[in-house]
Amino acid sequence: MSMLSETPAKRQKSGKVIGTHSGTFHADEALAVHLIRRLPEYKDADLVRTRDSSKLDECDIVVDVGGVYDDEKKRYDHHQRGFTETFSPAHKTKLSSAGLIYKHYGQQLIKQEMKDTSDQTMLDVLYKKLYENFVEALDAIDNGISQYDTDSNAKYSSRTDLSSRVAHLNPSWNEPFNDNILDQKFEIASALAGSEFYGALGRAMNSWYPARSMVEEAVKSRKTHDPSGKLIVFDSFGPWKEHLYLLEDELQIPEEEKPLYVLYPEDSGGKWRIQAVPVSSDSFSSRKPLPEAWRGIRDQALSDLSGIPGCVFVHAAGFIGGNETKEGALQMASKALAM
């Protein structure tokens, strides 16, 4: 993959050409360019970084510049007046060039990495997850959309996100730089963004998604442990939170039957954990925290207080607790449901 000079305006093409803007760069077009290069038809494409419309007109695909969004013409800018495109009607975040490329090519890119390309459920789930857990943040940051609806000052500052790290790859104001240096830095940024995207995809595909069947089985059999359906038991630990929320929607579980506690083995030593289900995957608040009277109490003192043998602890925030045995954890859950 080569970086072409802006000169001359007319040249003999060696293959496909990707266009994006010159100058300082951001995470959205850095990722967009990397994703385009992963498509078979663009794998050997040259890259032109320019704001010269005559040179952009020669490109086969253009991202983040040009003032046009037209999938048929392979033009994917989001800066023009009146642009309101989102990932789906259910999403409110306006797309950046990263989101535009992902929206149109994400399923193809994911399918290229799948062993079983006939698994449409897996493709659909991963397509949505990678947008919401990776690409959407780049869209929001590039479009100046705050993560929270609040006028309060942030309690802390975080500048370790991908958008910040890509921004830091631009030369500082007091460093020498020119178009050639910026182009070289852009290649580093694009490789970084792509590496993180495919790392996230690999984790989702090979670790997160396989847990779906475990969670689905436990959700469907949950009433064998408690007729209310508010208690889920896993025979082994796995990533369950996002799958639970997705399955609750897919299975149309009534609000009054949604699980409140999840039980799973802590380790091979036989101890068990009881965890309160959060109100959402990113929330620190629980649907029903463990009883206030138990919080911050440990070991025999907790067993004496609760009347349940084998208690180990309940966290001071009430979101998790432990017991020496599965039976003890089940008793803790049943008593907590009744309290």
Side-chain angles (χ1 to χ4, degrees):
M1 296 174 286
S2 63
M3 178 75 71
L4 299 179
S5 168
E6 291 188 24
T7 61
K10 292 187 178 180
R11 54 183 168 69
Q12 191 69 31
K13 294 183 180 179
S14 59
K16 298 279 190 180
V17 180
I18 304 165
T20 190
H21 63 80
S22 56
T24 56
F25 47 82
H26 307 97
D28 68 315
E29 78 266 18
L31 178 61
V33 168
H34 185 95
L35 295 182
I36 293 169
R37 284 169 161 171
R38 296 296 288 256
L39 297 167
E41 60 266 43
Y42 295 104
K43 68 182 182 68
D44 296 319
D46 294 315
L47 176 63
V48 171
R49 299 184 70 240
T50 182
R51 294 186 183 275
D52 186 325
S53 59
S54 65
K55 296 178 177 68
L56 291 171
D57 288 343
E58 292 184 344
C59 297
D60 297 283
I61 186 169
V62 176
V63 297
D64 211 43
V65 68
V68 175
Y69 166 46
D70 188 328
D71 181 45
E72 290 187 5
K73 295 180 179 179
K74 306 303 178 192
R75 295 307 189 254
Y76 302 97
D77 197 12
H78 67 105
H79 297 99
Q80 59 273 24
R81 186 181 180 90
F83 179 89
T84 58
E85 191 76 9
T86 61
F87 183 65
S88 78
H91 293 81
K92 306 302 181 187
T93 303
K94 189 169 73 171
L95 299 180
S96 67
S97 61
L100 283 171
I101 293 302
Y102 185 79
K103 178 172 182 173
H104 290 283
Y105 299 100
Q107 290 210 14
Q108 179 182 344
L109 291 163
I110 293 170
K111 202 169 186 177
Q112 289 173 184
E113 304 299 312
M114 290 171 55
K115 294 182 176 67
D116 180 7
T117 56
S118 66
D119 190 341
Q120 188 62 43
T121 299
M122 181 180 189
L123 180 59
D124 292 342
V125 170
L126 290 178
Y127 179 56
K128 184 173 182 286
K129 177 179 174 61
L130 264 292
Y131 180 72
E132 294 178 346
N133 289 181
F134 194 97
V135 181
E136 187 171 15
L138 304 187
D139 289 343
I141 291 170
D142 197 75
N143 283 303
I145 300 171
S146 297
Q147 189 173 13
Y148 301 102
D149 292 327
T150 177
D151 294 328
S152 302
N153 292 328
K155 289 181 169 52
Y156 59 88
S157 175
S158 175
R159 293 293 181 267
T160 59
D161 59 277
L162 178 59
S163 293
S164 296
R165 284 181 284 121
V166 167
H168 295 158
L169 289 171
N170 284 284
S172 298
W173 70 272
N174 54 356
E175 291 180 332
F177 68 91
N178 53 37
D179 286 346
N180 185 53
I181 292 173
L182 282 165
D183 289 347
Q184 292 176 23
K185 294 275 193 178
F186 177 83
E187 291 292 350
I188 296 171
S190 185
L192 170 65
S195 173
E196 296 216 0
F197 174 85
Y198 277 94
L201 175 57
R203 291 188 295 274
M205 184 181 301
N206 300 316
S207 176
W208 177 81
Y209 185 78
R212 176 184 167 91
S213 58
M214 175 193 77
V215 179
E216 184 173 10
E217 180 181 348
V219 168
K220 289 181 176 179
S221 63
R222 69 193 189 285
K223 291 188 178 181
T224 61
H225 303 288
D226 189 278
S228 69
K230 296 180 180 180
L231 177 61
I232 292 179
V233 179
F234 295 119
D235 293 328
S236 61
F237 179 78
W240 56 268
K241 291 180 186 177
E242 287 181 273
H243 291 301
L244 175 60
Y245 304 127
L246 290 171
L247 287 164
E248 286 178 340
D249 290 339
E250 291 176 21
L251 300 173
Q252 298 183 328
I253 296 176
E255 194 67 32
E256 65 273 11
E257 292 185 8
K258 287 185 176 180
L260 299 179
Y261 299 119
V262 167
L263 274 64
Y264 51 85
E266 178 181 342
D267 51 37
S268 58
K271 292 181 180 179
W272 278 69
R273 290 285 179 96
I274 170 174
Q275 186 167 347
V277 177
V279 296
S280 68
S281 58
D282 296 324
S283 176
F284 292 107
S285 299
S286 303
R287 289 176 174 175
K288 183 178 173 64
L290 290 167
E292 193 278 333
W294 298 356
R295 299 175 200 172
I297 311 298
R298 300 188 62 88
D299 304 321
Q300 189 59 47
L302 180 57
S303 291
D304 292 341
L305 177 63
S306 65
I308 301 168
C311 289
V312 178
F313 79 102
V314 168
H315 192 279
F319 75 95
I320 196 167
N323 196 283
E324 295 284 351
T325 67
K326 178 180 180 180
E327 292 72 20
L330 282 166
Q331 288 182 54
M332 291 175 72
S334 295
K335 185 163 284 192
L337 285 175
M339 292 175 68

